[in-house]
Amino acid sequence: MRYFIITLALGLGALRLASAPNPATIRFENIATKAGVKFITRNSPTPNKNQIETMVAGVALLDYDGDGWLDIYLVNGAAIPSLQKESPDYWNRLYRNNHDGTFTDVTERAGVAGAGYGMGVAVGDYDNDGRPDIFLANVTGNQLFHNNGDGTFTDVSKAAGVNDPNGYYGMSVIFSDFNNTGRPDIYVANDSTPKFLYKNLGNGKFQEIGLESGTAVSEDGSEQASMGLAVGDYLHNGRPSLFVTNFSDEYGNLFRNDGAWNFSDVSYKSGVALPSLPYVKWGTTFFDADNDGWLDLIVVGGHVYPQVDSLPSGARYQEPKVLELNQKDGTFCDASEQAGPALRIPRVSRGLAAGDLFNDGNVDIVVEDLTGEPMILRNSGVPGRHWVSFELQGTSSNRLAIGARIGIVADGMTQTEEIHSGGSYLSQNDLRVHFGLNTATRIDSVTIRWPSGKMETLKNLDADKFYSVLEGHGTVSPEKIRPAAPVAANDKNK
Protein backbone atom coordinates (compact mmCIF):
# COMPACT_ATOMS: atom_id res chain seq x y z
CA MET A 1 0.00 0.00 0.00
CA ARG A 2 2.80 2.45 0.90
CA TYR A 3 4.50 1.74 -2.43
CA PHE A 4 1.23 2.41 -4.24
CA ILE A 5 0.71 5.75 -2.47
CA ILE A 6 4.24 6.96 -3.25
CA THR A 7 3.91 5.88 -6.89
CA LEU A 8 0.55 7.61 -7.19
CA ALA A 9 1.94 10.82 -5.65
CA LEU A 10 4.88 10.82 -8.05
CA GLY A 11 2.53 10.22 -10.94
CA LEU A 12 0.32 13.14 -9.96
CA GLY A 13 3.39 15.35 -9.67
CA ALA A 14 4.44 14.39 -13.19
CA LEU A 15 0.91 15.11 -14.44
CA ARG A 16 1.02 18.59 -12.91
CA LEU A 17 4.32 19.30 -14.64
CA ALA A 18 3.05 18.05 -17.97
CA SER A 19 -0.09 20.19 -17.75
CA ALA A 20 1.81 23.33 -16.79
CA PRO A 21 2.08 26.28 -19.17
CA ASN A 22 5.32 25.96 -21.08
CA PRO A 23 7.98 27.05 -18.57
CA ALA A 24 10.79 26.99 -21.15
CA THR A 25 10.58 30.76 -21.53
CA ILE A 26 11.35 31.27 -17.80
CA ARG A 27 15.13 31.45 -17.61
CA PHE A 28 17.47 32.40 -14.78
CA GLU A 29 21.14 33.12 -15.51
CA ASN A 30 23.82 33.50 -12.85
CA ILE A 31 25.53 36.80 -13.66
CA ALA A 32 27.40 37.39 -10.37
CA THR A 33 30.86 37.44 -11.94
CA LYS A 34 29.72 39.51 -14.91
CA ALA A 35 28.06 41.97 -12.53
CA GLY A 36 31.28 42.51 -10.57
CA VAL A 37 30.13 40.94 -7.30
CA LYS A 38 33.32 39.23 -6.12
CA PHE A 39 32.24 38.32 -2.62
CA ILE A 40 33.41 35.11 -0.90
CA THR A 41 31.60 33.75 2.16
CA ARG A 42 34.06 32.83 4.93
CA ASN A 43 32.56 30.43 7.45
CA SER A 44 35.95 29.35 8.92
CA PRO A 45 35.34 25.57 9.00
CA THR A 46 37.09 23.68 11.79
CA PRO A 47 37.52 19.98 12.69
CA ASN A 48 35.04 20.57 15.53
CA LYS A 49 32.24 21.34 13.02
CA ASN A 50 30.77 24.13 15.16
CA GLN A 51 27.09 24.74 14.49
CA ILE A 52 27.59 28.34 13.40
CA GLU A 53 29.90 27.19 10.59
CA THR A 54 26.94 25.48 8.92
CA MET A 55 24.45 28.34 9.08
CA VAL A 56 25.94 31.57 7.66
CA ALA A 57 24.50 33.75 6.09
CA GLY A 58 21.81 36.13 4.88
CA VAL A 59 21.49 38.73 2.10
CA ALA A 60 19.53 41.99 1.84
CA LEU A 61 18.27 43.93 -1.16
CA LEU A 62 17.81 47.62 -0.38
CA ASP A 63 18.06 51.02 -2.04
CA TYR A 64 20.48 52.48 0.49
CA ASP A 65 21.27 55.63 -1.51
CA GLY A 66 17.74 56.46 -2.68
CA ASP A 67 18.49 56.39 -6.41
CA GLY A 68 15.64 54.02 -7.25
CA TRP A 69 17.88 50.99 -7.88
CA LEU A 70 18.37 48.03 -5.57
CA ASP A 71 21.76 47.51 -3.95
CA ILE A 72 23.05 44.25 -2.43
CA TYR A 73 24.29 43.64 1.12
CA LEU A 74 25.95 40.29 1.86
CA VAL A 75 26.64 39.06 5.41
CA ASN A 76 29.88 37.22 6.21
CA GLY A 77 31.34 35.07 8.98
CA ALA A 78 34.52 35.64 10.97
CA ALA A 79 37.63 33.88 12.17
CA ILE A 80 37.29 31.01 14.65
CA PRO A 81 37.88 30.87 17.60
CA SER A 82 38.13 34.67 17.93
CA LEU A 83 34.74 35.22 16.18
CA GLN A 84 36.14 38.53 14.92
CA LYS A 85 36.62 39.89 11.43
CA GLU A 86 40.41 39.68 11.62
CA SER A 87 40.93 40.85 8.03
CA PRO A 88 38.90 42.39 5.17
CA ASP A 89 38.33 38.85 3.88
CA TYR A 90 35.67 38.52 6.59
CA TRP A 91 33.90 41.82 5.96
CA ASN A 92 30.24 42.00 5.12
CA ARG A 93 29.97 43.71 1.74
CA LEU A 94 27.70 46.41 0.30
CA TYR A 95 27.49 46.57 -3.49
CA ARG A 96 26.04 49.72 -5.08
CA ASN A 97 23.95 49.29 -8.22
CA ASN A 98 25.59 51.07 -11.21
CA HIS A 99 22.35 51.03 -13.28
CA ASP A 100 24.10 49.16 -16.11
CA GLY A 101 23.98 45.56 -14.89
CA THR A 102 27.06 45.89 -12.70
CA PHE A 103 27.76 46.69 -9.05
CA THR A 104 30.54 48.48 -7.15
CA ASP A 105 31.84 47.48 -3.71
CA VAL A 106 31.31 50.53 -1.45
CA THR A 107 31.70 48.75 1.88
CA GLU A 108 34.62 50.75 3.23
CA ARG A 109 33.22 54.15 2.34
CA ALA A 110 29.77 53.23 3.66
CA GLY A 111 31.18 51.89 6.94
CA VAL A 112 29.18 48.64 7.00
CA ALA A 113 31.88 45.97 7.16
CA GLY A 114 30.33 44.72 10.38
CA ALA A 115 31.91 43.13 13.42
CA GLY A 116 31.89 39.58 14.69
CA TYR A 117 30.43 36.43 13.17
CA GLY A 118 27.46 37.50 11.04
CA MET A 119 24.27 35.56 10.46
CA GLY A 120 21.14 37.45 9.43
CA VAL A 121 20.10 40.85 8.12
CA ALA A 122 16.88 42.86 7.98
CA VAL A 123 16.05 46.34 6.75
CA GLY A 124 13.91 48.90 8.55
CA ASP A 125 13.76 52.57 9.47
CA TYR A 126 14.16 52.70 13.24
CA ASP A 127 14.22 56.51 13.50
CA ASN A 128 11.55 57.11 10.83
CA ASP A 129 13.66 59.42 8.69
CA GLY A 130 12.69 57.64 5.47
CA ARG A 131 16.07 56.00 4.90
CA PRO A 132 16.60 52.23 5.14
CA ASP A 133 18.74 51.22 8.10
CA ILE A 134 20.49 47.83 8.40
CA PHE A 135 20.08 45.45 11.34
CA LEU A 136 22.51 42.55 11.70
CA ALA A 137 21.95 39.44 13.81
CA ASN A 138 25.43 38.26 14.81
CA VAL A 139 26.64 35.38 16.95
CA THR A 140 28.76 37.88 18.86
CA GLY A 141 26.15 40.58 19.41
CA ASN A 142 23.78 42.42 17.09
CA GLN A 143 24.49 45.61 15.16
CA LEU A 144 22.26 48.44 13.96
CA PHE A 145 23.63 50.69 11.21
CA HIS A 146 21.94 54.08 10.88
CA ASN A 147 21.69 55.35 7.32
CA ASN A 148 23.15 58.89 7.32
CA GLY A 149 21.69 59.76 3.91
CA ASP A 150 25.06 60.62 2.37
CA GLY A 151 26.14 57.13 1.34
CA THR A 152 27.48 56.27 4.79
CA PHE A 153 26.19 54.50 7.90
CA THR A 154 26.89 54.85 11.63
CA ASP A 155 26.91 51.94 14.07
CA VAL A 156 24.34 52.93 16.74
CA SER A 157 23.89 49.48 18.29
CA LYS A 158 24.83 50.39 21.86
CA ALA A 159 23.13 53.78 21.81
CA ALA A 160 19.91 52.17 20.54
CA GLY A 161 20.12 49.33 23.07
CA VAL A 162 20.06 46.47 20.54
CA ASN A 163 23.64 45.21 20.70
CA ASP A 164 22.65 41.94 22.47
CA PRO A 165 25.73 41.62 24.72
CA ASN A 166 24.80 38.02 25.64
CA GLY A 167 25.07 36.93 22.01
CA TYR A 168 21.91 34.76 21.84
CA TYR A 169 21.23 32.87 18.60
CA GLY A 170 18.39 33.99 16.34
CA MET A 171 16.60 32.26 13.42
CA SER A 172 13.97 33.31 10.86
CA VAL A 173 11.08 35.58 11.79
CA ILE A 174 8.56 37.72 9.90
CA PHE A 175 5.81 40.23 10.68
CA SER A 176 2.56 39.82 8.73
CA ASP A 177 -1.13 40.54 9.28
CA PHE A 178 -2.52 37.00 8.98
CA ASN A 179 -6.18 37.76 9.75
CA ASN A 180 -6.73 41.19 8.16
CA THR A 181 -7.02 42.96 11.51
CA GLY A 182 -4.71 45.82 10.56
CA ARG A 183 -2.23 44.66 13.22
CA PRO A 184 1.05 42.83 12.45
CA ASP A 185 1.34 39.32 13.83
CA ILE A 186 4.64 37.43 14.23
CA TYR A 187 5.65 34.01 12.90
CA VAL A 188 8.87 32.31 14.02
CA ALA A 189 10.52 29.27 12.40
CA ASN A 190 12.14 27.20 15.18
CA ASP A 191 14.75 24.48 14.85
CA SER A 192 13.44 21.02 15.94
CA THR A 193 10.74 22.50 18.16
CA PRO A 194 7.18 23.71 17.40
CA LYS A 195 6.95 26.90 15.36
CA PHE A 196 5.39 30.01 16.91
CA LEU A 197 2.50 32.13 15.64
CA TYR A 198 2.01 35.22 17.81
CA LYS A 199 -1.46 36.71 17.37
CA ASN A 200 -1.48 40.48 17.86
CA LEU A 201 -4.17 41.24 20.44
CA GLY A 202 -4.09 44.97 19.75
CA ASN A 203 -3.28 46.05 23.30
CA GLY A 204 0.48 45.85 23.06
CA LYS A 205 0.39 42.11 23.73
CA PHE A 206 0.57 38.91 21.69
CA GLN A 207 -0.91 35.43 22.20
CA GLU A 208 1.00 32.37 20.97
CA ILE A 209 -1.45 30.23 18.93
CA GLY A 210 0.87 28.03 16.86
CA LEU A 211 -0.66 24.67 17.81
CA GLU A 212 -4.31 25.70 17.69
CA SER A 213 -3.84 27.53 14.38
CA GLY A 214 -2.24 24.49 12.73
CA THR A 215 1.12 26.16 11.98
CA ALA A 216 3.33 24.74 14.76
CA VAL A 217 3.96 21.21 13.48
CA SER A 218 3.56 19.14 10.32
CA GLU A 219 0.34 17.51 9.14
CA ASP A 220 1.17 14.34 11.10
CA GLY A 221 2.04 16.29 14.26
CA SER A 222 5.83 16.11 13.90
CA GLU A 223 8.18 18.83 15.09
CA GLN A 224 10.58 19.83 12.31
CA ALA A 225 13.98 21.45 11.93
CA SER A 226 12.69 24.69 10.39
CA MET A 227 14.99 27.28 8.84
CA GLY A 228 13.36 29.68 6.39
CA LEU A 229 9.89 31.05 5.74
CA ALA A 230 7.85 32.84 3.11
CA VAL A 231 4.49 34.61 3.24
CA GLY A 232 2.20 35.17 0.28
CA ASP A 233 -1.38 35.13 -1.04
CA TYR A 234 -0.79 32.37 -3.59
CA LEU A 235 -4.54 31.62 -3.86
CA HIS A 236 -5.86 35.17 -4.43
CA ASN A 237 -8.16 34.83 -1.42
CA GLY A 238 -6.84 37.94 0.33
CA ARG A 239 -5.17 35.94 3.11
CA PRO A 240 -1.39 35.42 3.40
CA SER A 241 -0.37 31.78 3.61
CA LEU A 242 2.92 30.40 4.98
CA PHE A 243 5.69 28.26 3.54
CA VAL A 244 8.41 26.90 5.87
CA THR A 245 11.66 25.17 4.89
CA ASN A 246 12.93 22.18 6.87
CA PHE A 247 15.72 19.57 7.03
CA SER A 248 16.14 16.69 4.56
CA ASP A 249 13.46 13.99 4.68
CA GLU A 250 11.18 16.64 6.22
CA TYR A 251 9.02 18.18 3.52
CA GLY A 252 8.59 21.94 3.23
CA ASN A 253 5.34 23.01 4.91
CA LEU A 254 2.75 24.94 2.92
CA PHE A 255 0.22 26.19 5.47
CA ARG A 256 -2.87 27.43 3.63
CA ASN A 257 -4.58 30.32 5.41
CA ASP A 258 -8.26 29.37 5.74
CA GLY A 259 -9.19 32.48 7.71
CA ALA A 260 -10.25 32.98 11.34
CA TRP A 261 -6.77 31.92 12.53
CA ASN A 262 -7.06 28.49 10.96
CA PHE A 263 -4.41 27.01 8.67
CA SER A 264 -4.23 23.68 6.82
CA ASP A 265 -1.05 21.83 5.89
CA VAL A 266 -1.57 21.32 2.14
CA SER A 267 2.04 20.49 1.30
CA TYR A 268 1.33 17.16 -0.41
CA LYS A 269 -2.03 18.21 -1.84
CA SER A 270 -0.44 21.28 -3.47
CA GLY A 271 2.54 19.39 -4.89
CA VAL A 272 5.31 21.24 -3.02
CA ALA A 273 6.20 18.44 -0.58
CA LEU A 274 7.76 15.76 -2.80
CA PRO A 275 10.28 17.95 -4.69
CA SER A 276 11.55 19.31 -1.37
CA LEU A 277 11.95 16.02 0.52
CA PRO A 278 15.56 15.10 -0.37
CA TYR A 279 17.09 18.47 0.46
CA VAL A 280 18.14 20.48 3.52
CA LYS A 281 16.13 23.61 2.73
CA TRP A 282 17.02 27.20 3.75
CA GLY A 283 16.17 30.42 1.90
CA THR A 284 12.78 30.70 0.22
CA THR A 285 10.29 33.26 -1.06
CA PHE A 286 7.00 33.63 -2.89
CA PHE A 287 7.43 35.73 -6.03
CA ASP A 288 5.87 35.98 -9.47
CA ALA A 289 8.62 34.42 -11.58
CA ASP A 290 6.77 34.66 -14.90
CA ASN A 291 4.57 37.74 -14.34
CA ASP A 292 1.36 35.74 -14.87
CA GLY A 293 -0.24 37.29 -11.77
CA TRP A 294 0.16 34.21 -9.54
CA LEU A 295 2.83 33.78 -6.86
CA ASP A 296 5.41 31.08 -7.49
CA LEU A 297 7.86 29.61 -4.97
CA ILE A 298 11.63 29.11 -4.92
CA VAL A 299 13.69 27.14 -2.38
CA VAL A 300 17.49 26.88 -2.04
CA GLY A 301 19.31 24.14 -0.17
CA GLY A 302 22.57 22.58 0.90
CA HIS A 303 23.44 20.04 3.56
CA VAL A 304 25.17 20.89 6.85
CA TYR A 305 27.56 17.93 6.86
CA PRO A 306 30.16 17.57 4.08
CA GLN A 307 30.62 13.95 5.22
CA VAL A 308 27.35 12.94 3.53
CA ASP A 309 29.25 12.85 0.24
CA SER A 310 31.07 9.75 1.50
CA LEU A 311 27.82 7.80 1.76
CA PRO A 312 27.06 5.41 -1.11
CA SER A 313 23.67 7.03 -1.79
CA GLY A 314 21.15 9.54 -0.49
CA ALA A 315 21.73 13.16 0.47
CA ARG A 316 24.64 15.18 -0.87
CA TYR A 317 26.41 18.26 0.53
CA GLN A 318 25.75 20.39 -2.55
CA GLU A 319 22.12 20.52 -3.63
CA PRO A 320 20.14 22.11 -6.51
CA LYS A 321 17.43 24.73 -6.19
CA VAL A 322 13.71 24.08 -6.62
CA LEU A 323 11.38 26.41 -8.56
CA GLU A 324 7.65 25.71 -8.16
CA LEU A 325 5.26 27.37 -10.63
CA ASN A 326 1.75 28.22 -9.48
CA GLN A 327 -0.88 26.32 -11.49
CA LYS A 328 -3.68 28.73 -10.46
CA ASP A 329 -5.71 25.93 -8.88
CA GLY A 330 -4.01 25.58 -5.50
CA THR A 331 -1.22 23.38 -6.86
CA PHE A 332 2.35 23.95 -8.02
CA CYS A 333 4.55 22.18 -10.58
CA ASP A 334 8.31 21.67 -10.32
CA ALA A 335 9.81 23.72 -13.17
CA SER A 336 13.41 23.65 -11.92
CA GLU A 337 14.77 21.75 -14.93
CA GLN A 338 13.07 24.05 -17.43
CA ALA A 339 14.21 27.37 -15.91
CA GLY A 340 17.86 27.19 -16.94
CA PRO A 341 20.92 25.23 -15.78
CA ALA A 342 21.84 27.76 -13.08
CA LEU A 343 19.08 26.46 -10.81
CA ARG A 344 20.19 22.85 -11.05
CA ILE A 345 23.90 23.33 -10.38
CA PRO A 346 24.45 21.78 -6.92
CA ARG A 347 25.66 24.30 -4.33
CA VAL A 348 25.62 24.80 -0.56
CA SER A 349 23.14 27.68 -0.39
CA ARG A 350 21.69 29.52 2.60
CA GLY A 351 20.24 33.06 2.34
CA LEU A 352 17.95 34.19 -0.49
CA ALA A 353 16.39 37.54 -1.38
CA ALA A 354 14.14 38.60 -4.27
CA GLY A 355 13.79 41.92 -6.05
CA ASP A 356 13.91 43.66 -9.42
CA LEU A 357 17.63 44.46 -9.52
CA PHE A 358 17.64 45.86 -13.03
CA ASN A 359 14.31 47.76 -13.07
CA ASP A 360 13.12 45.77 -16.07
CA GLY A 361 9.91 44.46 -14.50
CA ASN A 362 11.24 40.98 -13.74
CA VAL A 363 11.97 39.74 -10.21
CA ASP A 364 15.53 38.49 -9.79
CA ILE A 365 17.00 36.29 -7.06
CA VAL A 366 20.21 36.73 -5.03
CA VAL A 367 21.54 33.68 -3.16
CA GLU A 368 24.35 33.57 -0.62
CA ASP A 369 26.19 30.28 -0.29
CA LEU A 370 27.82 28.84 2.82
CA THR A 371 31.17 28.83 1.07
CA GLY A 372 32.24 30.48 -2.15
CA GLU A 373 30.62 33.13 -4.31
CA PRO A 374 26.96 34.25 -4.26
CA MET A 375 24.58 33.82 -7.17
CA ILE A 376 22.76 36.67 -8.89
CA LEU A 377 20.02 34.91 -10.83
CA ARG A 378 18.80 37.33 -13.46
CA ASN A 379 15.25 36.66 -14.63
CA SER A 380 14.94 37.01 -18.41
CA GLY A 381 11.18 37.44 -18.18
CA VAL A 382 8.38 36.16 -20.41
CA PRO A 383 7.57 38.14 -23.56
CA GLY A 384 4.09 39.66 -23.58
CA ARG A 385 3.67 39.60 -19.79
CA HIS A 386 3.06 42.91 -18.00
CA TRP A 387 3.75 44.10 -14.45
CA VAL A 388 3.52 47.01 -12.03
CA SER A 389 5.60 48.02 -9.01
CA PHE A 390 4.84 50.31 -6.06
CA GLU A 391 7.18 52.09 -3.66
CA LEU A 392 5.34 53.52 -0.66
CA GLN A 393 6.20 56.17 1.90
CA GLY A 394 4.11 56.81 4.98
CA THR A 395 3.28 60.16 6.55
CA SER A 396 1.12 59.17 9.51
CA SER A 397 2.52 55.64 9.10
CA ASN A 398 6.17 54.67 9.35
CA ARG A 399 8.10 56.19 6.47
CA LEU A 400 9.04 52.86 4.81
CA ALA A 401 5.39 51.77 5.10
CA ILE A 402 6.37 48.39 6.54
CA GLY A 403 3.14 46.54 7.24
CA ALA A 404 1.16 48.28 4.48
CA ARG A 405 -1.14 46.01 2.48
CA ILE A 406 -1.80 46.62 -1.21
CA GLY A 407 -4.61 45.10 -3.25
CA ILE A 408 -4.93 45.52 -7.01
CA VAL A 409 -7.57 44.61 -9.59
CA ALA A 410 -6.48 44.21 -13.21
CA ASP A 411 -8.46 42.51 -15.98
CA GLY A 412 -10.76 40.92 -13.39
CA MET A 413 -7.93 39.46 -11.30
CA THR A 414 -7.48 40.55 -7.67
CA GLN A 415 -4.09 40.29 -5.96
CA THR A 416 -2.86 41.32 -2.51
CA GLU A 417 0.62 41.84 -1.10
CA GLU A 418 2.18 43.24 2.05
CA ILE A 419 5.44 45.07 2.79
CA HIS A 420 7.56 42.89 5.07
CA SER A 421 10.74 43.34 7.03
CA GLY A 422 12.67 40.08 7.28
CA GLY A 423 11.71 36.63 6.03
CA SER A 424 13.31 33.93 3.86
CA TYR A 425 16.33 32.63 5.77
CA LEU A 426 18.06 35.49 7.62
CA SER A 427 17.43 37.77 4.61
CA GLN A 428 15.53 40.79 3.29
CA ASN A 429 13.56 41.10 0.04
CA ASP A 430 12.94 44.28 -1.94
CA LEU A 431 10.62 46.63 -0.01
CA ARG A 432 8.92 47.64 -3.25
CA VAL A 433 5.76 45.67 -4.07
CA HIS A 434 5.72 43.89 -7.43
CA PHE A 435 2.68 42.44 -9.20
CA GLY A 436 2.68 40.42 -12.40
CA LEU A 437 -0.28 41.30 -14.62
CA ASN A 438 -0.19 38.60 -17.31
CA THR A 439 -1.66 40.27 -20.45
CA ALA A 440 -3.42 43.17 -18.68
CA THR A 441 -2.15 46.59 -19.76
CA ARG A 442 -3.99 48.64 -17.14
CA ILE A 443 -4.68 48.38 -13.42
CA ASP A 444 -8.33 49.15 -12.74
CA SER A 445 -7.90 49.94 -9.05
CA VAL A 446 -5.32 49.90 -6.26
CA THR A 447 -6.33 49.85 -2.60
CA ILE A 448 -3.75 50.57 0.09
CA ARG A 449 -4.30 49.94 3.77
CA TRP A 450 -1.56 51.94 5.44
CA PRO A 451 -0.10 50.89 8.83
CA SER A 452 -1.86 53.93 10.32
CA GLY A 453 -5.20 52.37 9.39
CA LYS A 454 -5.90 54.88 6.64
CA MET A 455 -7.29 53.56 3.35
CA GLU A 456 -6.34 54.99 -0.02
CA THR A 457 -7.57 54.10 -3.52
CA LEU A 458 -5.96 54.75 -6.90
CA LYS A 459 -7.67 54.24 -10.25
CA ASN A 460 -6.74 53.46 -13.86
CA LEU A 461 -2.97 53.11 -13.78
CA ASP A 462 -0.84 52.05 -16.73
CA ALA A 463 1.07 48.77 -16.57
CA ASP A 464 4.85 48.33 -16.86
CA LYS A 465 5.68 51.25 -14.58
CA PHE A 466 7.14 51.98 -11.16
CA TYR A 467 4.82 54.11 -9.04
CA SER A 468 5.76 56.16 -5.99
CA VAL A 469 2.89 56.61 -3.52
CA LEU A 470 2.91 59.07 -0.61
CA GLU A 471 0.36 58.39 2.10
CA GLY A 472 -2.63 60.72 1.64
CA HIS A 473 -1.27 62.18 -1.61
CA GLY A 474 -1.61 59.37 -4.15
CA THR A 475 1.03 58.85 -6.81
CA VAL A 476 3.88 61.36 -6.76
CA SER A 477 7.29 61.79 -8.38
CA PRO A 478 10.02 59.56 -6.91
CA GLU A 479 11.78 62.60 -5.44
CA LYS A 480 8.76 63.29 -3.21
CA ILE A 481 9.19 60.03 -1.28
CA ARG A 482 12.98 60.03 -0.97
CA PRO A 483 14.48 62.21 1.74
CA ALA A 484 16.99 64.83 0.71
CA ALA A 485 20.63 64.40 1.70
CA PRO A 486 21.36 65.85 5.15
CA VAL A 487 22.90 69.31 5.32
CA ALA A 488 26.34 69.36 6.89
CA ALA A 489 26.75 71.47 10.03
CA ASN A 490 29.22 73.84 8.39
CA ASP A 491 26.78 74.38 5.49
CA LYS A 492 24.00 75.35 7.90
CA ASN A 493 26.12 78.20 9.22
CA LYS A 494 26.82 79.73 5.84
Side-chain angles (χ1 to χ4, degrees):
M1 175 63 74
R2 184 179 179 186
Y3 173 79
F4 171 76
I5 292 173
I6 292 174
T7 303
L8 178 61
L10 288 170
L12 288 173
L15 181 62
R16 272 192 299 272
L17 181 56
S19 63
N22 179 15
T25 52
I26 306 168
R27 307 287 291 182
F28 289 89
E29 177 190 359
N30 182 16
I31 63 163
T33 300
K34 190 189 309 183
V37 177
K38 300 176 181 179
F39 178 85
I40 300 290
T41 305
R42 311 283 181 180
N43 68 327
S44 298
T46 69
N48 297 330
K49 299 294 185 291
N50 299 298
Q51 184 180 18
I52 60 172
E53 301 168 25
T54 69
M55 299 171 65
V56 63
V59 54
L61 303 184
L62 72 159
D63 181 10
Y64 86 99
D65 53 358
D67 63 355
W69 294 73
L70 285 180
D71 311 296
I72 303 173
Y73 187 75
L74 296 157
V75 181
N76 211 341
I80 292 178
S82 71
L83 299 182
Q84 298 301 317
K85 298 187 185 299
E86 295 179 354
S87 76
D89 287 344
Y90 295 106
W91 285 4
N92 304 341
R93 295 283 173 177
L94 176 63
Y95 289 90
R96 186 189 67 225
N97 195 321
N98 297 327
H99 312 174
D100 60 2
T102 67
F103 295 80
T104 298
D105 186 342
V106 295
T107 308
E108 191 165 13
R109 180 183 182 277
V112 290
Y117 204 106
M119 282 288 170
V121 58
V123 172
D125 181 12
Y126 82 98
D127 59 347
N128 208 32
D129 65 357
R131 302 184 182 94
D133 306 305
I134 298 173
F135 182 83
L136 297 175
N138 299 322
V139 173
T140 44
N142 300 328
Q143 286 183 283
L144 175 61
F145 286 106
H146 173 255
N147 189 330
N148 299 322
D150 59 0
T152 69
F153 291 77
T154 300
D155 186 344
V156 295
S157 312
K158 291 183 179 179
V162 297
N163 55 311
D164 182 21
N166 295 316
Y168 293 145
Y169 294 172
M171 286 293 273
S172 299
V173 62
I174 196 165
F175 280 90
S176 185
D177 179 3
F178 289 108
N179 205 43
N180 291 332
T181 62
R183 300 185 296 267
D185 311 297
I186 301 173
Y187 189 76
V188 183
N190 291 320
D191 186 2
S192 302
T193 58
K195 296 170 271 288
F196 294 146
L197 175 57
Y198 291 101
K199 174 183 176 181
N200 192 327
L201 301 178
N203 57 358
K205 295 182 179 180
F206 291 82
Q207 177 187 359
E208 205 287 297
I209 60 167
L211 286 171
E212 51 263 53
S213 70
T215 62
V217 294
S218 67
E219 188 175 22
D220 62 5
S222 299
E223 298 172 356
Q224 296 167 298
S226 301
M227 268 77 83
L229 52 88
V231 173
D233 179 13
Y234 77 97
L235 290 168
H236 291 179
N237 63 10
R239 298 187 294 266
S241 295
L242 281 160
F243 181 78
V244 185
T245 59
N246 300 303
F247 209 77
S248 59
D249 299 321
E250 298 177 344
Y251 62 85
N253 304 112
L254 180 57
F255 293 113
R256 185 186 65 207
N257 190 337
D258 298 324
W261 301 107
N262 292 309
F263 291 75
S264 299
D265 186 340
V266 296
S267 309
Y268 278 100
K269 185 185 299 185
S270 66
V272 302
L274 281 174
S276 72
L277 266 176
Y279 308 129
V280 179
K281 301 161 284 290
W282 301 84
T284 183
T285 194
F286 283 107
F287 75 119
D288 192 347
D290 52 2
N291 276 338
D292 67 348
W294 294 80
L295 289 178
D296 309 301
L297 187 64
I298 189 169
V299 181
V300 302
H303 215 282
V304 296
Y305 306 120
Q307 300 94 316
V308 297
D309 285 343
S310 64
L311 299 177
S313 63
R316 288 293 177 260
Y317 187 49
Q318 297 179 320
E319 298 174 345
K321 293 155 185 62
V322 178
L323 175 66
E324 300 272 4
L325 288 185
N326 193 324
Q327 297 302 284
K328 310 174 187 178
D329 60 1
T331 68
F332 292 80
C333 75
D334 183 357
S336 311
E337 296 284 354
Q338 291 75 25
L343 294 186
R344 302 309 288 168
I345 297 173
R347 298 175 68 127
V348 188
S349 299
R350 295 294 184 259
L352 173 151
D356 185 354
L357 288 170
F358 307 103
N359 285 355
D360 60 2
N362 300 309
V363 180
D364 310 293
I365 301 293
V366 179
V367 181
E368 182 163 352
D369 285 1
L370 178 67
T371 58
E373 300 175 351
M375 300 182 78
I376 299 178
L377 297 170
R378 183 164 191 174
N379 185 346
S380 64
V382 178
R385 300 273 175 86
H386 299 283
W387 55 275
V388 68
S389 182
F390 297 95
E391 182 177 2
L392 274 57
Q393 184 177 96
T395 52
S396 301
S397 304
N398 67 83
R399 296 281 292 276
L400 294 187
I402 292 171
R405 176 165 291 190
I406 304 175
I408 71 165
V409 178
D411 199 21
M413 181 189 295
T414 300
Q415 302 181 58
T416 61
E417 189 55 274
E418 196 173 14
I419 299 178
H420 299 122
S421 178
S424 183
Y425 173 70
L426 308 179
S427 297
Q428 174 70 57
N429 292 327
D430 187 357
L431 288 174
R432 297 176 299 184
V433 177
H434 175 99
F435 294 100
L437 301 174
N438 205 349
T439 58
T441 57
R442 288 189 68 78
I443 300 93
D444 301 314
S445 67
V446 179
T447 302
I448 302 171
R449 190 187 69 201
W450 294 90
S452 64
K454 293 180 179 178
M455 301 294 294
E456 192 162 352
T457 301
L458 311 173
K459 297 283 189 180
N460 299 320
L461 300 181
D462 291 330
D464 303 328
K465 289 186 177 181
F466 292 91
Y467 289 97
S468 302
V469 183
L470 183 63
E471 183 178 9
H473 299 271
T475 58
V476 297
S477 65
E479 294 75 21
K480 293 278 184 68
I481 67 167
R482 294 179 188 141
V487 179
N490 57 344
D491 291 334
K492 291 180 180 179
N493 298 325
K494 289 181 179 180

